[in-house]
Amino acid sequence: MHDVIVVGAGPAGSRYARQAAASGQSVLVLERGPVGEPLACSGHVSRDIWERTPEGTREAIVQNQISGARFHVGGPDSPAHAFYRDETISEVIDRVALDRHLASAAEDAGADLRVEHTVVDATEDATGVTVTARTPEGRAEFRAKILVGADGPRSRVRQSIGLPEPDELLHGVLGFDTSADNGDRVDVHLDVPGFFAWRIPRGEAGVEYGLAARPEADPVERFEAMTDAYGVETARRCSGLIPIGPPDRVTADRTLLLGDAAAQTKPFTGGGINYGMTAADHAARTVDPSDPATLADYERAWREDLGREIAMGAWIRRAYDLPNAVQRVGLRLTSGRVGVHMDRPSTIFSFDQLRAFVR
Ligand SMILES: Cc1cc2nc3c(=O)[nH]c(=O)nc-3n(C[C@H](O)[C@H](O)[C@H](O)COP(=O)(O)OP(=O)(O)OC[C@H]3O[C@@H](n4cnc5c(N)ncnc54)[C@H](O)[C@@H]3O)c2cc1C
């Protein structure tokens, strides 16, 4: 019997697997695809990420550096309100390569990674967990003391174990233009109900156009309208789900959820790479597979660290649905040089300020 089975070798699962294996646990990772594919992410991250990646990752996967954002209430022709710093705030990375680096680091630490293993069921009992996977050879069963569901927004682990769902799943669409753009500003368009559209310069890798919205708001049609307004034809397209709003419980008797499976994302950007890896570290630090009662320590630790940021992020997101005139005034008053950390809204706002602004 393994100490832990991790389902999903995305950033959250691989980071957890690496840390748990490094502490001497026997870790089995089951991943349905080749690692990192298919792509469904912009890979726009704060520099905190480098605290949790193996040496040499940054040099290998950074595509561009960003020092600010231009917000528009409307399409590309509407006036821009710039928020910026004099130094780099965030970086645009090759997301497929990130997943590969993190998975290799987990293997180097001793984790046993099996690709093309799609988990179809998981159950808990008094002595451990049983996980059933579809493999190239047929079906296989695996046993462990505890189970980590790091299997993304539509988590099969969450469903099999009967843990609650996130509040919402947004639909994100991405398209890529191959013209190089080494600019250091992203564009954000507040003309999508409940969320926004964006343009990210990816250096020599080209330009990314993206949009996320509630599924009923026709994200694909809106995406096409945006790229038409920019006058571009995107060559490559992909899409994915963004979970927003963690459920009240992300642990069961012998199971914990991590990353998108637990909706550990920023409600105001949809970004989840750093939060998922942060939560992975809390899990690896607090959970002892031989003592499932320690799952409660993980539940407490990640919420203490990220709960307030997520709650503030949800308040910021409310501003996306304010009347356009109010948004313009708000942007005009707050734009300019900023000191905010993109993963930590509490570095700039208090709850009272946010509530007052949104109301
Ligand atoms: C359009 C879009 C743009 C985004 N842009 C950004 C961004 O710029 N910055 C940012 O920080 N975040 C961004 N995100 C969010 C980010 O992609 C996620 O928060 C992040 O990938 C979560 O990591 P994870 O490891 O929890 O899950 P995932 O990365 O989803 O990894 C889950 C893994 O589990 C595997 N898996 C799933 N089901 C099974 C199964 N049944 N059996 C075995 N394996 C399984 C999957 O193949 C996958 O490898 C974006 C998301 C979308 C949709």
Side-chain angles (χ1 to χ4, degrees):
M1 162 137 54
H2 292 276
D3 286 321
V4 192
I5 294 173
V6 179
V7 183
S14 288
R15 175 66 189 177
Y16 175 86
R18 178 186 180 193
Q19 298 304 94
S23 75
Q25 296 172 26
S26 73
V27 180
L28 174 66
V29 184
L30 303 175
E31 164 56 50
R32 93 179 143 193
V35 170
E37 293 176 42
L39 171 71
C41 177
S42 305
H44 178 212
V45 287
S46 79
R47 300 171 108 191
D48 287 5
I49 192 167
W50 310 123
E51 292 163 19
R52 297 190 169 86
T53 54
E55 218 180 302
T57 305
R58 182 176 179 281
E59 294 67 28
I61 72 170
V62 166
Q63 295 176 332
N64 198 15
Q65 299 191 313
I66 302 297
S67 61
R70 292 181 290 249
F71 279 76
H72 308 254
V73 182
D77 295 331
S78 58
H81 303 270
F83 293 76
Y84 59 92
R85 276 212 223 148
D86 296 331
E87 69 272 20
T88 298
I89 297 175
S90 54
E91 292 182 302
V92 181
I93 58 170
D94 176 342
R95 168 61 206 268
V96 174
L98 172 73
D99 284 25
R100 291 183 183 151
H101 277 78
L102 294 172
S104 294
E107 286 187 291
D108 292 346
D112 176 3
L113 168 65
R114 315 255 181 109
V115 294
E116 293 184 48
H117 279 56
T118 303
V119 169
V120 292
D121 195 26
T123 54
E124 298 179 321
D125 58 57
T127 57
V129 292
T130 304
V131 174
T132 311
R134 221 175 29 238
T135 75
E137 290 78 40
R139 279 185 172 234
E141 279 195 355
F142 302 93
R143 289 277 295 165
K145 293 176 189 162
I146 63 160
L147 174 60
V148 173
D151 50 345
R154 281 228 188 275
S155 172
R156 176 56 71 106
V157 170
R158 187 176 69 218
Q159 188 196 356
S160 297
I161 299 296
L163 281 163
E165 300 281 313
D167 292 346
E168 233 184 307
L169 286 178
L170 300 179
H171 182 173
V173 187
L174 301 179
F176 301 89
D177 175 22
T178 50
S179 340
D181 185 342
N182 291 293
D184 68 345
R185 301 276 163 102
V186 298
D187 287 282
V188 177
H189 298 278
L190 300 177
D191 57 354
V192 176
F195 221 67
F196 57 83
W198 62 88
R199 178 189 186 277
I200 300 179
R202 306 193 70 95
E204 297 306 308
V207 178
E208 174 192 305
Y209 296 86
L211 180 147
R214 299 185 184 105
E216 64 276 15
D218 293 324
V220 175
E221 233 168 79
R222 286 176 185 278
F223 175 81
E224 277 161 11
M226 176 187 64
T227 48
D228 284 352
Y230 265 107
V232 289
E233 193 78 48
T234 53
R236 210 158 43 87
R237 282 240 198 128
C238 58
S239 71
L241 296 171
I242 301 177
I244 304 281
D248 292 341
R249 210 159 45 88
V250 302
T251 51
D253 291 344
R254 287 181 174 274
T255 304
L256 68 93
L257 303 178
L258 267 187
D260 274 17
Q264 289 159 338
T265 61
K266 292 181 277 180
F268 65 111
T269 68
I273 297 174
N274 270 322
Y275 278 14
M277 290 171 74
T278 302
D281 282 1
H282 287 302
R285 185 176 48 79
T286 51
V287 175
D288 172 1
S290 301
D291 178 9
T294 55
L295 290 169
D297 299 331
Y298 160 65
E299 186 87 78
R300 210 167 19 248
W302 84 262
R303 287 183 196 277
E304 267 172 25
D305 188 8
L306 299 175
R308 182 180 165 78
E309 304 296 344
I310 291 175
M312 290 188 101
W315 273 93
I316 295 173
R317 183 174 166 220
R318 289 185 184 198
Y320 302 161
D321 279 333
L322 290 172
N324 288 351
V326 178
Q327 289 177 329
R328 283 191 197 97
V329 172
L331 289 171
R332 211 176 304 132
L333 291 176
T334 52
S335 57
R337 190 176 279 109
V338 289
V340 67
H341 186 299
M342 72 183 267
D343 294 336
R344 302 266 170 188
S346 63
T347 54
I348 190 166
F349 298 116
S350 73
F351 259 121
D352 288 346
Q353 284 170 318
L354 272 176
R355 280 196 202 102
F357 177 67
V358 173
R359 279 176 184 150

Coordinates of all heavy atoms in Angstrom, one line a residue, residues 7-13 30-33 37 40-45 95 99 117-119 150-153 156 172-174 198 240-242 258-261 265 270-274, ligand 1:
V7 N -4.1 12.2 -7.7 CA -4.7 12.1 -9.0 C -4.5 13.5 -9.7 O -5.0 14.5 -9.2 CB -6.2 11.8 -8.9 CG1 -6.8 11.6 -10.3 CG2 -6.4 10.5 -8.1
G8 N -3.8 13.5 -10.8 CA -3.5 14.7 -11.5 C -2.1 15.3 -11.3 O -1.7 15.6 -10.2
A9 N -1.4 15.4 -12.5 CA 0.0 15.9 -12.4 C 0.0 17.3 -13.0 O 0.8 17.6 -13.9 CB 1.0 15.0 -13.1
G10 N -1.0 18.2 -12.6 CA -0.9 19.6 -12.9 C 0.0 20.2 -11.8 O 0.7 19.5 -11.0
P11 N 0.1 21.6 -11.8 CA 1.0 22.3 -10.8 C 0.7 21.9 -9.4 O 1.6 21.6 -8.6 CB 0.7 23.7 -11.0 CG 0.1 23.8 -12.4 CD -0.6 22.5 -12.7
A12 N -0.6 21.7 -9.0 CA -0.9 21.4 -7.6 C -0.5 20.0 -7.2 O 0.2 19.8 -6.2 CB -2.4 21.7 -7.3
G13 N -0.9 19.1 -8.1 CA -0.6 17.6 -7.8 C 0.9 17.4 -7.8 O 1.4 16.7 -6.9
L30 N -1.2 9.5 -10.5 CA -2.0 9.0 -11.7 C -2.4 10.1 -12.6 O -3.1 11.0 -12.1 CB -3.2 8.1 -11.3 CG -2.8 6.9 -10.3 CD1 -4.1 6.3 -9.9 CD2 -1.9 6.0 -11.0
E31 N -2.0 10.2 -13.8 CA -2.3 11.3 -14.7 C -2.9 10.8 -16.0 O -2.4 9.9 -16.6 CB -1.0 12.1 -15.0 CG -1.0 13.1 -16.2 CD -2.1 14.1 -16.1 OE1 -2.2 14.8 -15.0 OE2 -2.9 14.3 -17.1
R32 N -4.0 11.4 -16.3 CA -4.8 10.9 -17.5 C -4.1 11.1 -18.8 O -4.2 10.3 -19.7 CB -6.2 11.3 -17.5 CG -6.5 12.6 -18.3 CD -7.9 13.0 -18.2 NE -7.9 14.5 -18.3 CZ -8.9 15.2 -18.0 NH1 -10.0 14.7 -17.6 NH2 -8.8 16.5 -18.1
G33 N -3.4 12.2 -18.9 CA -2.8 12.5 -20.3 C -1.4 12.4 -20.3 O -0.8 11.9 -19.4
E37 N -0.8 18.5 -21.1 CA -1.6 18.6 -22.3 C -3.0 18.0 -22.0 O -3.1 17.1 -21.3 CB -1.0 17.9 -23.5 CG 0.3 18.5 -24.0 CD 0.9 17.7 -25.1 OE1 0.2 17.2 -25.9 OE2 2.1 17.5 -25.0
A40 N -4.8 24.7 -21.5 CA -6.0 25.5 -21.3 C -5.6 26.6 -20.2 O -6.3 26.6 -19.2 CB -7.1 24.6 -20.9
C41 N -4.6 27.4 -20.5 CA -4.2 28.3 -19.5 C -3.3 29.4 -20.1 O -2.5 29.0 -21.0 CB -3.4 27.6 -18.4 SG -2.7 28.6 -17.1
S42 N -3.4 30.6 -19.6 CA -2.5 31.7 -20.1 C -1.1 31.6 -19.6 O -0.2 32.1 -20.2 CB -3.1 33.1 -19.8 OG -4.4 33.2 -20.2
G43 N -0.9 31.0 -18.4 CA 0.4 31.0 -17.8 C 0.9 32.4 -17.5 O 2.1 32.7 -17.7
H44 N 0.1 33.2 -17.0 CA 0.5 34.6 -16.5 C 0.5 34.5 -15.0 O -0.5 34.4 -14.4 CB -0.5 35.6 -17.1 CG -0.2 37.0 -16.6 ND1 -1.2 38.0 -16.4 CD2 1.0 37.6 -16.4 CE1 -0.6 39.1 -16.1 NE2 0.7 38.9 -16.0
V45 N 1.7 34.7 -14.4 CA 1.9 34.4 -13.0 C 2.7 35.4 -12.3 O 3.6 36.0 -12.9 CB 2.5 33.0 -12.8 CG1 1.6 31.9 -13.1 CG2 3.8 32.8 -13.6
R95 N 3.2 27.3 -20.3 CA 2.5 26.5 -19.2 C 2.7 25.0 -19.4 O 2.8 24.3 -18.4 CB 1.0 26.9 -19.3 CG 0.1 26.0 -18.5 CD 0.4 26.1 -17.0 NE -0.1 24.8 -16.4 CZ -1.2 24.7 -15.8 NH1 -2.1 25.7 -15.8 NH2 -1.6 23.5 -15.3
D99 N 4.4 22.4 -16.3 CA 3.8 21.2 -15.8 C 4.9 20.1 -15.9 O 5.1 19.3 -15.0 CB 2.6 20.8 -16.6 CG 1.4 21.6 -16.1 OD1 1.5 22.7 -15.6 OD2 0.2 21.1 -16.3
H117 N -3.2 7.2 -17.2 CA -3.9 6.5 -16.2 C -5.1 7.4 -15.8 O -4.9 8.4 -15.1 CB -3.1 6.2 -14.9 CG -2.3 5.0 -15.1 ND1 -1.4 4.8 -16.1 CD2 -2.2 3.8 -14.3 CE1 -0.8 3.6 -16.0 NE2 -1.3 3.0 -14.9
T118 N -6.3 7.1 -16.3 CA -7.4 8.0 -16.0 C -8.2 7.4 -14.9 O -8.8 6.3 -15.0 CB -8.4 8.1 -17.3 OG1 -7.6 8.6 -18.4 CG2 -9.5 9.0 -17.0
V119 N -8.3 8.2 -13.8 CA -9.0 7.7 -12.6 C -10.6 7.7 -12.9 O -11.1 8.8 -13.3 CB -8.6 8.5 -11.4 CG1 -9.6 8.2 -10.2 CG2 -7.2 8.2 -11.0
A150 N -6.1 16.2 -7.2 CA -5.6 17.4 -7.8 C -5.9 17.3 -9.3 O -5.1 17.6 -10.1 CB -4.1 17.5 -7.6
D151 N -7.2 16.9 -9.5 CA -7.5 16.5 -10.9 C -8.4 17.6 -11.6 O -9.3 17.3 -12.4 CB -8.2 15.1 -11.0 CG -9.3 14.9 -9.9 OD1 -9.4 15.7 -9.0 OD2 -10.0 14.0 -10.0
G152 N -8.2 18.9 -11.2 CA -8.8 19.9 -12.0 C -10.2 20.3 -11.7 O -10.8 19.7 -10.8
P153 N -10.8 21.2 -12.5 CA -12.1 21.8 -12.1 C -13.2 20.8 -12.1 O -14.2 20.9 -11.4 CB -12.3 22.8 -13.2 CG -11.2 22.7 -14.2 CD -10.1 21.9 -13.6
R156 N -12.8 14.2 -10.7 CA -13.5 12.9 -10.6 C -13.4 12.5 -9.1 O -14.3 11.8 -8.6 CB -12.9 11.9 -11.5 CG -13.4 10.5 -11.4 CD -14.9 10.4 -11.5 NE -15.3 10.6 -12.9 CZ -15.8 9.7 -13.7 NH1 -15.9 8.4 -13.3 NH2 -16.2 10.0 -14.9
G172 N -13.5 29.5 -20.1 CA -12.4 30.4 -20.7 C -12.1 30.0 -22.1 O -12.0 28.8 -22.4
V173 N -11.8 30.9 -22.9 CA -11.4 30.7 -24.3 C -10.1 31.4 -24.6 O -10.0 32.6 -24.3 CB -12.5 31.2 -25.3 CG1 -12.2 30.7 -26.8 CG2 -13.9 30.7 -24.9
L174 N -9.2 30.7 -25.3 CA -7.9 31.4 -25.7 C -7.7 31.2 -27.2 O -8.0 30.1 -27.7 CB -6.8 30.7 -24.9 CG -6.7 30.7 -23.4 CD1 -5.5 29.9 -22.9 CD2 -6.7 32.1 -22.9
W198 N -9.0 39.6 -22.4 CA -7.6 40.0 -22.2 C -6.8 39.8 -23.5 O -7.2 39.0 -24.4 CB -6.9 39.4 -21.1 CG -6.8 37.9 -21.2 CD1 -5.8 37.2 -21.7 CD2 -7.7 36.9 -20.7 NE1 -6.0 35.8 -21.6 CE2 -7.2 35.6 -21.0 CE3 -8.9 36.9 -20.0 CZ2 -7.8 34.4 -20.6 CZ3 -9.6 35.7 -19.6 CH2 -9.0 34.5 -20.0
G240 N -11.1 26.1 -21.6 CA -11.1 25.3 -20.3 C -12.0 26.0 -19.3 O -12.5 27.0 -19.5
L241 N -12.2 25.3 -18.2 CA -13.1 25.8 -17.1 C -12.3 26.4 -16.0 O -11.1 26.0 -15.7 CB -13.9 24.6 -16.5 CG -14.8 24.0 -17.5 CD1 -15.4 22.7 -16.9 CD2 -15.9 24.9 -18.0
I242 N -12.8 27.4 -15.4 CA -12.2 28.1 -14.2 C -13.2 28.0 -13.1 O -14.2 28.6 -13.1 CB -11.9 29.6 -14.6 CG1 -11.0 29.7 -15.8 CG2 -11.3 30.3 -13.4 CD1 -10.7 31.1 -16.2
L258 N -7.1 19.5 -3.9 CA -6.0 20.6 -4.1 C -6.2 21.3 -5.4 O -6.7 20.7 -6.4 CB -4.7 19.9 -4.3 CG -3.7 19.6 -3.1 CD1 -2.4 19.1 -3.6 CD2 -3.5 20.9 -2.3
G259 N -5.9 22.6 -5.4 CA -5.9 23.3 -6.7 C -7.3 23.6 -7.2 O -8.2 23.8 -6.4
D260 N -7.4 23.5 -8.5 CA -8.7 23.7 -9.1 C -9.8 22.7 -8.6 O -11.0 23.1 -8.6 CB -8.7 23.6 -10.7 CG -8.2 24.9 -11.3 OD1 -7.7 25.8 -10.6 OD2 -8.4 25.0 -12.5
A261 N -9.4 21.5 -8.2 CA -10.4 20.6 -7.7 C -11.1 21.2 -6.4 O -12.2 20.9 -6.1 CB -9.8 19.3 -7.4
T265 N -8.7 29.3 -6.4 CA -8.3 30.3 -7.5 C -8.6 31.7 -7.0 O -9.4 31.9 -6.1 CB -9.1 30.0 -8.8 OG1 -10.5 30.2 -8.4 CG2 -8.9 28.6 -9.3
G270 N -9.2 34.5 -12.0 CA -9.3 33.1 -12.4 C -7.9 32.4 -12.3 O -7.9 31.2 -12.5
G271 N -6.9 33.1 -11.9 CA -5.6 32.5 -11.8 C -5.5 31.5 -10.6 O -6.0 31.8 -9.5
G272 N -4.9 30.3 -10.9 CA -4.9 29.3 -9.8 C -3.6 28.6 -9.6 O -3.5 27.7 -8.7
I273 N -2.6 28.9 -10.5 CA -1.4 28.2 -10.4 C -0.7 28.4 -9.0 O -0.4 27.4 -8.3 CB -0.4 28.6 -11.5 CG1 -1.0 28.3 -12.9 CG2 0.9 27.9 -11.4 CD1 -0.3 28.8 -14.1
N274 N -0.5 29.6 -8.6 CA 0.2 29.9 -7.4 C -0.6 29.5 -6.1 O -0.1 28.9 -5.2 CB 0.5 31.4 -7.2 CG 1.9 31.7 -7.8 OD1 2.8 30.9 -7.7 ND2 2.1 32.8 -8.5
Ligands
LIG1 C1 -8.5 30.0 -20.2 C2 -7.7 29.9 -18.9 C3 -6.7 30.7 -18.6 C4 -6.0 30.7 -17.4 N1 -5.0 31.5 -17.1 C5 -4.3 31.5 -16.0 C6 -3.2 32.3 -15.7 O1 -2.8 33.1 -16.6 N2 -2.5 32.2 -14.5 C7 -2.9 31.3 -13.6 O2 -2.4 31.3 -12.5 N3 -4.0 30.5 -13.8 C8 -4.7 30.5 -15.0 N4 -5.7 29.7 -15.2 C9 -6.1 28.7 -14.1 C10 -5.0 27.6 -14.1 O3 -4.9 26.9 -15.3 C11 -5.5 26.5 -13.0 O4 -5.8 27.2 -11.8 C12 -4.4 25.5 -12.7 O5 -4.1 24.8 -13.9 C13 -4.8 24.6 -11.6 O6 -3.8 23.6 -11.4 P1 -4.3 22.2 -10.9 O7 -3.0 21.4 -10.8 O8 -5.2 22.3 -9.8 O9 -5.2 21.6 -12.1 P2 -4.9 21.3 -13.6 O10 -3.8 22.1 -14.1 O11 -6.2 21.3 -14.3 O12 -4.3 19.8 -13.5 C14 -5.2 18.7 -13.3 C15 -4.5 17.5 -13.9 O13 -5.3 16.4 -13.6 C16 -5.4 15.5 -14.7 N5 -6.7 14.8 -14.6 C17 -7.9 15.3 -14.6 N6 -8.8 14.3 -14.5 C18 -8.1 13.2 -14.2 C19 -8.5 11.8 -14.0 N7 -9.8 11.5 -13.9 N8 -7.5 10.9 -13.8 C20 -6.2 11.3 -13.9 N9 -5.8 12.5 -14.1 C21 -6.8 13.5 -14.3 C22 -5.4 16.5 -15.9 O14 -5.0 15.9 -17.1 C23 -4.4 17.5 -15.4 O15 -3.1 17.2 -15.7 C24 -6.4 29.7 -16.4 C25 -7.4 28.8 -16.7 C26 -8.1 28.9 -17.9 C27 -9.2 27.9 -18.2

